[in-house]
mmCIF file of all heavy atoms in Angstrom:
data_model
loop_
_atom_site.group_PDB
_atom_site.id
_atom_site.type_symbol
_atom_site.label_atom_id
_atom_site.label_comp_id
_atom_site.label_asym_id
_atom_site.label_seq_id
_atom_site.Cartn_x
_atom_site.Cartn_y
_atom_site.Cartn_z
ATOM 1 N N LEU A 65 7.149 4.773 -8.044
ATOM 2 C CA LEU A 65 7.709 3.740 -7.202
ATOM 3 C C LEU A 65 7.622 4.108 -5.730
ATOM 4 O O LEU A 65 7.569 3.195 -4.869
ATOM 5 C CB LEU A 65 9.173 3.466 -7.627
ATOM 6 C CG LEU A 65 9.347 2.862 -9.002
ATOM 7 C CD1 LEU A 65 10.817 2.632 -9.285
ATOM 8 C CD2 LEU A 65 8.588 1.523 -9.139
ATOM 9 N N TYR A 66 7.618 5.355 -5.394
ATOM 10 C CA TYR A 66 7.482 5.813 -4.030
ATOM 11 C C TYR A 66 6.133 5.367 -3.478
ATOM 12 O O TYR A 66 6.077 4.736 -2.387
ATOM 13 C CB TYR A 66 7.620 7.360 -3.955
ATOM 14 C CG TYR A 66 7.205 7.954 -2.641
ATOM 15 C CD1 TYR A 66 8.043 7.959 -1.552
ATOM 16 C CD2 TYR A 66 5.969 8.598 -2.515
ATOM 17 C CE1 TYR A 66 7.693 8.551 -0.357
ATOM 18 C CE2 TYR A 66 5.581 9.204 -1.296
ATOM 19 C CZ TYR A 66 6.424 9.166 -0.228
ATOM 20 O OH TYR A 66 6.062 9.740 0.951
ATOM 21 N N TRP A 67 5.066 5.635 -4.196
ATOM 22 C CA TRP A 67 3.752 5.263 -3.736
ATOM 23 C C TRP A 67 3.581 3.731 -3.781
ATOM 24 O O TRP A 67 3.003 3.152 -2.865
ATOM 25 C CB TRP A 67 2.646 5.899 -4.570
ATOM 26 C CG TRP A 67 2.598 7.387 -4.328
ATOM 27 C CD1 TRP A 67 2.916 8.392 -5.166
ATOM 28 C CD2 TRP A 67 2.166 8.029 -3.108
ATOM 29 N NE1 TRP A 67 2.758 9.626 -4.584
ATOM 30 C CE2 TRP A 67 2.285 9.439 -3.287
ATOM 31 C CE3 TRP A 67 1.720 7.539 -1.875
ATOM 32 C CZ2 TRP A 67 1.964 10.354 -2.312
ATOM 33 C CZ3 TRP A 67 1.383 8.473 -0.891
ATOM 34 C CH2 TRP A 67 1.517 9.853 -1.123
ATOM 35 N N ASP A 68 4.135 3.085 -4.766
ATOM 36 C CA ASP A 68 4.078 1.624 -4.843
ATOM 37 C C ASP A 68 4.858 0.982 -3.668
ATOM 38 O O ASP A 68 4.444 -0.033 -3.117
ATOM 39 C CB ASP A 68 4.665 1.158 -6.180
ATOM 40 C CG ASP A 68 4.594 -0.335 -6.348
ATOM 41 O OD1 ASP A 68 3.506 -0.866 -6.408
ATOM 42 O OD2 ASP A 68 5.691 -0.978 -6.416
ATOM 43 N N PHE A 69 5.963 1.627 -3.274
ATOM 44 C CA PHE A 69 6.740 1.112 -2.141
ATOM 45 C C PHE A 69 5.931 1.041 -0.886
ATOM 46 O O PHE A 69 5.914 0.025 -0.145
ATOM 47 C CB PHE A 69 7.974 2.019 -1.950
ATOM 48 C CG PHE A 69 8.823 1.652 -0.758
ATOM 49 C CD1 PHE A 69 9.782 0.689 -0.826
ATOM 50 C CD2 PHE A 69 8.635 2.317 0.452
ATOM 51 C CE1 PHE A 69 10.587 0.346 0.257
ATOM 52 C CE2 PHE A 69 9.422 2.019 1.570
ATOM 53 C CZ PHE A 69 10.384 1.022 1.460
ATOM 54 N N PHE A 70 5.161 2.112 -0.605
ATOM 55 C CA PHE A 70 4.380 2.124 0.631
ATOM 56 C C PHE A 70 3.122 1.271 0.519
ATOM 57 O O PHE A 70 2.640 0.766 1.545
ATOM 58 C CB PHE A 70 4.066 3.563 1.058
ATOM 59 C CG PHE A 70 5.233 4.224 1.689
ATOM 60 C CD1 PHE A 70 5.866 5.275 1.043
ATOM 61 C CD2 PHE A 70 5.696 3.815 2.919
ATOM 62 C CE1 PHE A 70 6.975 5.903 1.606
ATOM 63 C CE2 PHE A 70 6.797 4.453 3.503
ATOM 64 C CZ PHE A 70 7.420 5.464 2.841
ATOM 65 N N LEU A 71 2.658 1.018 -0.709
ATOM 66 C CA LEU A 71 1.577 0.041 -0.874
ATOM 67 C C LEU A 71 2.090 -1.356 -0.638
ATOM 68 O O LEU A 71 1.422 -2.177 0.006
ATOM 69 C CB LEU A 71 0.975 0.200 -2.278
ATOM 70 C CG LEU A 71 0.117 1.438 -2.525
ATOM 71 C CD1 LEU A 71 -0.237 1.549 -4.032
ATOM 72 C CD2 LEU A 71 -1.127 1.385 -1.693
ATOM 73 N N ARG A 72 3.300 -1.680 -1.155
ATOM 74 C CA ARG A 72 3.841 -2.986 -0.979
ATOM 75 C C ARG A 72 4.205 -3.294 0.486
ATOM 76 O O ARG A 72 4.101 -4.420 0.936
ATOM 77 C CB ARG A 72 5.112 -3.145 -1.857
ATOM 78 C CG ARG A 72 4.860 -3.406 -3.292
ATOM 79 C CD ARG A 72 6.147 -3.613 -4.074
ATOM 80 N NE ARG A 72 6.824 -2.382 -4.381
ATOM 81 C CZ ARG A 72 8.087 -2.087 -4.138
ATOM 82 N NH1 ARG A 72 8.847 -2.963 -3.528
ATOM 83 N NH2 ARG A 72 8.615 -0.946 -4.509
ATOM 84 N N HIS A 73 4.744 -2.272 1.195
ATOM 85 C CA HIS A 73 5.251 -2.490 2.512
ATOM 86 C C HIS A 73 4.411 -1.784 3.585
ATOM 87 O O HIS A 73 4.939 -1.502 4.700
ATOM 88 C CB HIS A 73 6.670 -1.952 2.605
ATOM 89 C CG HIS A 73 7.648 -2.652 1.662
ATOM 90 N ND1 HIS A 73 8.001 -3.963 1.877
ATOM 91 C CD2 HIS A 73 8.294 -2.246 0.572
ATOM 92 C CE1 HIS A 73 8.831 -4.317 0.914
ATOM 93 N NE2 HIS A 73 9.019 -3.314 0.089
ATOM 94 N N GLY A 74 3.137 -1.606 3.313
ATOM 95 C CA GLY A 74 2.285 -0.940 4.271
ATOM 96 C C GLY A 74 2.189 -1.573 5.627
ATOM 97 O O GLY A 74 2.196 -0.908 6.644
ATOM 98 N N GLU A 75 2.066 -2.915 5.655
ATOM 99 C CA GLU A 75 1.969 -3.601 6.931
ATOM 100 C C GLU A 75 3.190 -3.375 7.807
ATOM 101 O O GLU A 75 3.053 -3.163 9.008
ATOM 102 C CB GLU A 75 1.784 -5.098 6.690
ATOM 103 C CG GLU A 75 0.401 -5.457 6.136
ATOM 104 C CD GLU A 75 -0.725 -4.973 7.020
ATOM 105 O OE1 GLU A 75 -0.617 -5.162 8.268
ATOM 106 O OE2 GLU A 75 -1.707 -4.407 6.519
ATOM 107 N N ARG A 76 4.357 -3.369 7.217
ATOM 108 C CA ARG A 76 5.593 -3.177 7.979
ATOM 109 C C ARG A 76 5.656 -1.739 8.561
ATOM 110 O O ARG A 76 6.095 -1.570 9.707
ATOM 111 C CB ARG A 76 6.830 -3.434 7.091
ATOM 112 C CG ARG A 76 8.139 -3.071 7.813
ATOM 113 C CD ARG A 76 9.321 -3.404 6.983
ATOM 114 N NE ARG A 76 9.573 -4.815 6.922
ATOM 115 C CZ ARG A 76 10.273 -5.500 7.822
ATOM 116 N NH1 ARG A 76 10.801 -4.860 8.890
ATOM 117 N NH2 ARG A 76 10.453 -6.800 7.706
ATOM 118 N N PHE A 77 5.242 -0.740 7.776
ATOM 119 C CA PHE A 77 5.504 0.636 8.179
ATOM 120 C C PHE A 77 4.307 1.380 8.723
ATOM 121 O O PHE A 77 4.416 2.556 9.100
ATOM 122 C CB PHE A 77 6.088 1.421 7.008
ATOM 123 C CG PHE A 77 7.442 0.916 6.571
ATOM 124 C CD1 PHE A 77 7.656 0.427 5.309
ATOM 125 C CD2 PHE A 77 8.527 0.935 7.465
ATOM 126 C CE1 PHE A 77 8.910 -0.057 4.917
ATOM 127 C CE2 PHE A 77 9.748 0.455 7.071
ATOM 128 C CZ PHE A 77 9.963 -0.045 5.801
ATOM 129 N N ALA A 78 3.156 0.720 8.794
ATOM 130 C CA ALA A 78 1.912 1.395 9.246
ATOM 131 C C ALA A 78 2.045 1.940 10.668
ATOM 132 O O ALA A 78 1.385 2.911 11.030
ATOM 133 C CB ALA A 78 0.736 0.459 9.128
ATOM 134 N N ARG A 79 2.901 1.281 11.477
ATOM 135 C CA ARG A 79 3.028 1.694 12.890
ATOM 136 C C ARG A 79 4.353 2.449 13.149
ATOM 137 O O ARG A 79 4.662 2.741 14.304
ATOM 138 C CB ARG A 79 2.891 0.499 13.796
ATOM 139 C CG ARG A 79 1.493 -0.126 13.810
ATOM 140 C CD ARG A 79 1.424 -1.337 14.692
ATOM 141 N NE ARG A 79 0.092 -1.899 14.726
ATOM 142 C CZ ARG A 79 -0.374 -2.721 13.826
ATOM 143 N NH1 ARG A 79 0.434 -3.124 12.847
ATOM 144 N NH2 ARG A 79 -1.601 -3.185 13.913
ATOM 145 N N ASN A 80 5.090 2.706 12.086
ATOM 146 C CA ASN A 80 6.329 3.475 12.242
ATOM 147 C C ASN A 80 5.964 4.950 12.268
ATOM 148 O O ASN A 80 5.495 5.511 11.313
ATOM 149 C CB ASN A 80 7.246 3.189 11.043
ATOM 150 C CG ASN A 80 8.589 3.833 11.181
ATOM 151 O OD1 ASN A 80 8.721 5.017 11.576
ATOM 152 N ND2 ASN A 80 9.663 3.155 10.879
ATOM 153 N N PRO A 81 6.186 5.631 13.371
ATOM 154 C CA PRO A 81 5.714 7.027 13.528
ATOM 155 C C PRO A 81 6.336 7.987 12.505
ATOM 156 O O PRO A 81 5.769 9.042 12.225
ATOM 157 C CB PRO A 81 6.135 7.404 14.930
ATOM 158 C CG PRO A 81 7.209 6.441 15.320
ATOM 159 C CD PRO A 81 6.898 5.186 14.627
ATOM 160 N N ARG A 82 7.502 7.622 11.899
ATOM 161 C CA ARG A 82 8.121 8.511 10.969
ATOM 162 C C ARG A 82 7.569 8.407 9.548
ATOM 163 O O ARG A 82 7.773 9.342 8.782
ATOM 164 C CB ARG A 82 9.619 8.260 10.969
ATOM 165 C CG ARG A 82 10.305 8.477 12.275
ATOM 166 C CD ARG A 82 11.831 8.548 12.159
ATOM 167 N NE ARG A 82 12.256 9.721 11.449
ATOM 168 C CZ ARG A 82 13.493 9.948 11.032
ATOM 169 N NH1 ARG A 82 14.439 9.015 11.336
ATOM 170 N NH2 ARG A 82 13.860 10.970 10.390
ATOM 171 N N VAL A 83 6.899 7.296 9.226
ATOM 172 C CA VAL A 83 6.329 7.156 7.890
ATOM 173 C C VAL A 83 4.902 6.641 7.877
ATOM 174 O O VAL A 83 4.346 6.379 6.803
ATOM 175 C CB VAL A 83 7.219 6.240 7.032
ATOM 176 C CG1 VAL A 83 8.579 6.859 6.763
ATOM 177 C CG2 VAL A 83 7.383 4.849 7.652
ATOM 178 N N ALA A 84 4.261 6.551 9.026
ATOM 179 C CA ALA A 84 2.859 6.013 9.039
ATOM 180 C C ALA A 84 1.946 6.891 8.220
ATOM 181 O O ALA A 84 1.013 6.372 7.585
ATOM 182 C CB ALA A 84 2.375 5.930 10.506
ATOM 183 N N ARG A 85 2.168 8.170 8.208
ATOM 184 C CA ARG A 85 1.307 9.054 7.422
ATOM 185 C C ARG A 85 1.427 8.769 5.936
ATOM 186 O O ARG A 85 0.412 8.782 5.197
ATOM 187 C CB ARG A 85 1.690 10.499 7.673
ATOM 188 C CG ARG A 85 0.766 11.548 7.037
ATOM 189 C CD ARG A 85 1.048 12.931 7.466
ATOM 190 N NE ARG A 85 2.397 13.359 7.059
ATOM 191 C CZ ARG A 85 2.883 14.578 7.248
ATOM 192 N NH1 ARG A 85 2.152 15.461 7.913
ATOM 193 N NH2 ARG A 85 4.113 14.899 6.862
ATOM 194 N N GLN A 86 2.647 8.445 5.474
ATOM 195 C CA GLN A 86 2.765 8.100 4.048
ATOM 196 C C GLN A 86 2.060 6.763 3.731
ATOM 197 O O GLN A 86 1.448 6.661 2.649
ATOM 198 C CB GLN A 86 4.278 7.950 3.698
ATOM 199 C CG GLN A 86 5.013 9.277 3.658
ATOM 200 C CD GLN A 86 5.665 9.613 5.028
ATOM 201 O OE1 GLN A 86 5.021 9.512 6.078
ATOM 202 N NE2 GLN A 86 6.916 10.030 4.961
ATOM 203 N N VAL A 87 2.088 5.813 4.630
ATOM 204 C CA VAL A 87 1.361 4.574 4.380
ATOM 205 C C VAL A 87 -0.138 4.865 4.332
ATOM 206 O O VAL A 87 -0.815 4.347 3.411
ATOM 207 C CB VAL A 87 1.649 3.575 5.545
ATOM 208 C CG1 VAL A 87 0.759 2.322 5.376
ATOM 209 C CG2 VAL A 87 3.099 3.189 5.519
ATOM 210 N N HIS A 88 -0.664 5.645 5.231
ATOM 211 C CA HIS A 88 -2.069 6.009 5.196
ATOM 212 C C HIS A 88 -2.429 6.681 3.878
ATOM 213 O O HIS A 88 -3.472 6.387 3.266
ATOM 214 C CB HIS A 88 -2.417 6.879 6.381
ATOM 215 C CG HIS A 88 -3.836 7.309 6.433
ATOM 216 N ND1 HIS A 88 -4.866 6.497 6.821
ATOM 217 C CD2 HIS A 88 -4.434 8.504 6.120
ATOM 218 C CE1 HIS A 88 -5.994 7.148 6.699
ATOM 219 N NE2 HIS A 88 -5.787 8.385 6.310
ATOM 220 N N ALA A 89 -1.595 7.632 3.451
ATOM 221 C CA ALA A 89 -1.882 8.360 2.215
ATOM 222 C C ALA A 89 -1.842 7.419 0.999
ATOM 223 O O ALA A 89 -2.671 7.559 0.057
ATOM 224 C CB ALA A 89 -0.871 9.512 2.026
ATOM 225 N N ALA A 90 -0.911 6.478 1.010
ATOM 226 C CA ALA A 90 -0.844 5.513 -0.103
ATOM 227 C C ALA A 90 -2.101 4.664 -0.170
ATOM 228 O O ALA A 90 -2.674 4.420 -1.240
ATOM 229 C CB ALA A 90 0.395 4.641 0.019
ATOM 230 N N ARG A 91 -2.519 4.209 0.984
ATOM 231 C CA ARG A 91 -3.720 3.363 1.044
ATOM 232 C C ARG A 91 -4.977 4.116 0.626
ATOM 233 O O ARG A 91 -5.964 3.494 0.202
ATOM 234 C CB ARG A 91 -3.861 2.723 2.405
ATOM 235 C CG ARG A 91 -2.831 1.661 2.727
ATOM 236 C CD ARG A 91 -2.876 1.216 4.161
ATOM 237 N NE ARG A 91 -2.094 0.008 4.362
ATOM 238 C CZ ARG A 91 -1.850 -0.520 5.552
ATOM 239 N NH1 ARG A 91 -2.370 0.039 6.649
ATOM 240 N NH2 ARG A 91 -1.137 -1.649 5.648
ATOM 241 N N ALA A 92 -4.945 5.420 0.773
ATOM 242 C CA ALA A 92 -6.121 6.235 0.469
ATOM 243 C C ALA A 92 -6.141 6.679 -1.007
ATOM 244 O O ALA A 92 -7.126 7.323 -1.442
ATOM 245 C CB ALA A 92 -6.138 7.470 1.368
ATOM 246 N N LEU A 93 -5.110 6.350 -1.783
ATOM 247 C CA LEU A 93 -5.095 6.790 -3.164
ATOM 248 C C LEU A 93 -6.256 6.189 -3.966
ATOM 249 O O LEU A 93 -6.528 4.965 -3.937
ATOM 250 C CB LEU A 93 -3.786 6.338 -3.847
ATOM 251 C CG LEU A 93 -2.485 7.012 -3.386
ATOM 252 C CD1 LEU A 93 -1.294 6.342 -4.075
ATOM 253 C CD2 LEU A 93 -2.518 8.493 -3.681
ATOM 254 N N ALA A 94 -6.927 7.037 -4.701
ATOM 255 C CA ALA A 94 -8.016 6.552 -5.554
ATOM 256 C C ALA A 94 -7.497 5.800 -6.745
ATOM 257 O O ALA A 94 -8.217 4.943 -7.309
ATOM 258 C CB ALA A 94 -8.876 7.750 -6.018
ATOM 259 N N ASP A 95 -6.288 6.047 -7.163
ATOM 260 C CA ASP A 95 -5.742 5.388 -8.322
ATOM 261 C C ASP A 95 -4.635 4.372 -7.927
ATOM 262 O O ASP A 95 -3.642 4.151 -8.671
ATOM 263 C CB ASP A 95 -5.136 6.402 -9.317
ATOM 264 C CG ASP A 95 -4.038 7.293 -8.679
ATOM 265 O OD1 ASP A 95 -3.821 7.184 -7.435
ATOM 266 O OD2 ASP A 95 -3.422 8.059 -9.418
ATOM 267 N N GLY A 96 -4.810 3.734 -6.766
ATOM 268 C CA GLY A 96 -3.777 2.794 -6.293
ATOM 269 C C GLY A 96 -3.538 1.655 -7.272
ATOM 270 O O GLY A 96 -2.396 1.275 -7.449
ATOM 271 N N ASP A 97 -4.588 1.125 -7.872
ATOM 272 C CA ASP A 97 -4.377 0.036 -8.852
ATOM 273 C C ASP A 97 -3.644 0.522 -10.072
ATOM 274 O O ASP A 97 -2.733 -0.234 -10.558
ATOM 275 C CB ASP A 97 -5.760 -0.531 -9.285
ATOM 276 C CG ASP A 97 -6.458 -1.329 -8.154
ATOM 277 O OD1 ASP A 97 -5.748 -1.693 -7.190
ATOM 278 O OD2 ASP A 97 -7.680 -1.516 -8.239
ATOM 279 N N ALA A 98 -3.875 1.750 -10.488
ATOM 280 C CA ALA A 98 -3.177 2.262 -11.628
ATOM 281 C C ALA A 98 -1.702 2.517 -11.275
ATOM 282 O O ALA A 98 -0.812 2.358 -12.106
ATOM 283 C CB ALA A 98 -3.807 3.598 -12.113
ATOM 284 N N VAL A 99 -1.434 2.925 -10.045
ATOM 285 C CA VAL A 99 -0.053 3.143 -9.574
ATOM 286 C C VAL A 99 0.672 1.785 -9.629
ATOM 287 O O VAL A 99 1.814 1.711 -10.107
ATOM 288 C CB VAL A 99 -0.016 3.694 -8.172
ATOM 289 C CG1 VAL A 99 1.369 3.598 -7.576
ATOM 290 C CG2 VAL A 99 -0.510 5.128 -8.161
#
């Protein structure tokens, strides 16, 4: 659910300096659809 959370809310948090890295990592997951 952690990774799904940042996939769901990526647009909101992509520019938040405290969690932008997590958004980028979630979007880069090779198994994002499986998540």
Side-chain angles (χ1 to χ4, degrees):
L65 294 178
Y66 168 79
W67 290 111
D68 182 64
F69 176 84
F70 283 110
L71 288 171
R72 279 184 282 130
H73 297 292
E75 289 302 315
R76 172 178 287 274
F77 295 119
R79 293 179 179 83
N80 184 316
R82 299 193 67 188
V83 293
R85 186 172 64 176
Q86 289 92 314
V87 173
H88 178 74
R91 289 173 168 174
L93 291 175
D95 59 352
D97 290 342
V99 168

